[in-house]
Amino acid sequence: MKVIKTCAEMSALCQAAERPLGLVPTMGALHEGHLSLTRQARADNAALAASIFVNPTQFGPHEDFGSYPRRLERDLELLAAQGTDVVFAPPPEEIYPAGFDTWIEPGAVAEGMEGAARPGHFRGVATVVAKLFGITRPNRAYFGQKDGQQVAVIRKITTDLNLAVNIITMPTIREPDGLAQSSRNANLTPEQRTAAPVVYRALRAAESLWHTGERDAGRLQAAARAVLQSEPLVESVDYVSVVDADTMAAVDAVSNQPAMVAIAARVGSVRLIDNVVLV
Ligand code: AMP
């Protein structure tokens, strides 16, 4: 497995790689959620590239860029064990050299939920993903449903900008108690870790109500909020949203189109996001 730090070397290597080439972009501190993507990408493609880059431009000024977990050595061992051919782990100045001044600004798909709670977040995500696509030119790129709005944004920019990459979405990998795996879970205290599955329980409450025939978004949201409020360690709730699963537009009622119920909530100081798709 090659570990590459520069864009030029990564481009050259990927150009010479066997095809199809699969790409799994990550911010590292890998867990089973990431590995489910690399496993699928390994199975689907002749060559497998992964990236590890904690992208500064998708973090707000008061967010956790500094405390985001970084575990490069361990990540490289995990990726090697998965049969990864090449890992791109550039320093920030390689991706954003002095004078860098071009941004991708996604539209309505990026306005609500994470986009509203984290101004500029999806601009950073869209820009770095477009750069990674440009550097590696993969045939397929793999993303997790865990970050449901992120996948919708990436699908949209890929279509709108003709990026010629096949976007593959993989299901959310959870702990046995339902908590979605996330690198940020490492920052939960043991007490907060015990409380954290409340986010998925809240989503399940909305989903169960939907299964009984309820279609009103307000009532589905209320069911989820009630569960979140039952947990004292939930410090704040950024949103409980019911949106169209493709466009991310808020819906008043769930129709025949798949809808997504999404939550962002803070347990202690750790911000957790999760979603379920109603299908
Ligand atoms: P991150 O390192 O958080 O940027 O995540 C890299 C990729 O892994 C993204 O496409 C995420 O959606 C995906 N991912 C993160 N957590 C999970 C999970 N629990 N299940 C499935 N995919 C995940």
Side-chain angles (χ1 to χ4, degrees), residues 125-256:
V125 169
T127 303
V128 81
V129 168
K131 282 180 67 92
L132 290 170
F133 286 1
I135 294 160
T136 58
R137 312 223 165 211
N139 301 87
R140 301 188 182 96
Y142 295 77
F143 296 90
Q145 178 59 34
K146 155 81 169 46
D147 301 282
Q149 190 179 14
Q150 173 172 275
V151 183
V153 168
I154 289 163
R155 285 188 178 280
K156 186 72 176 134
I157 66 160
T158 301
T159 303
D160 285 357
L161 301 177
N162 307 87
L163 297 182
V165 178
N166 191 358
I167 306 298
I168 313 286
T169 307
M170 297 296 295
T172 302
I173 303 294
R174 301 179 180 284
E175 301 289 354
D177 60 10
L179 176 65
Q181 293 208 355
S182 164
S183 306
R184 288 189 171 94
N185 293 350
N187 293 337
L188 293 165
T189 65
E191 210 190 359
Q192 291 162 355
R193 172 63 190 83
T194 307
V198 71
V199 175
Y200 185 53
R201 280 207 309 280
L203 291 168
R204 291 284 299 272
E207 187 180 42
S208 304
L209 194 57
W210 177 76
H211 276 302
T212 68
E214 181 60 73
R215 293 294 179 264
D216 180 76
R219 282 197 280 271
L220 297 175
Q221 283 161 289
R225 274 194 185 271
V227 175
L228 290 173
Q229 277 158 9
S230 72
E231 173 50 66
L233 292 187
V234 173
E235 291 284 322
S236 59
V237 178
D238 276 356
Y239 57 80
V240 176
S241 297
V242 181
V243 299
D244 179 287
D246 291 324
T247 66
M248 301 289 116
V251 298
D252 293 330
V254 180
S255 64
N256 292 333

Side-chain angles (χ1 to χ4, degrees), residues 2 24 33 38 63 82 102 109 147 153 214 236 245 265 274 276:
K2 292 204 166 67
V24 179
T38 52
E63 292 182 0
Q82 294 261 313
T102 300
V109 67
D147 301 282
V153 168
E214 181 60 73
S236 59
D274 199 355
V276 295

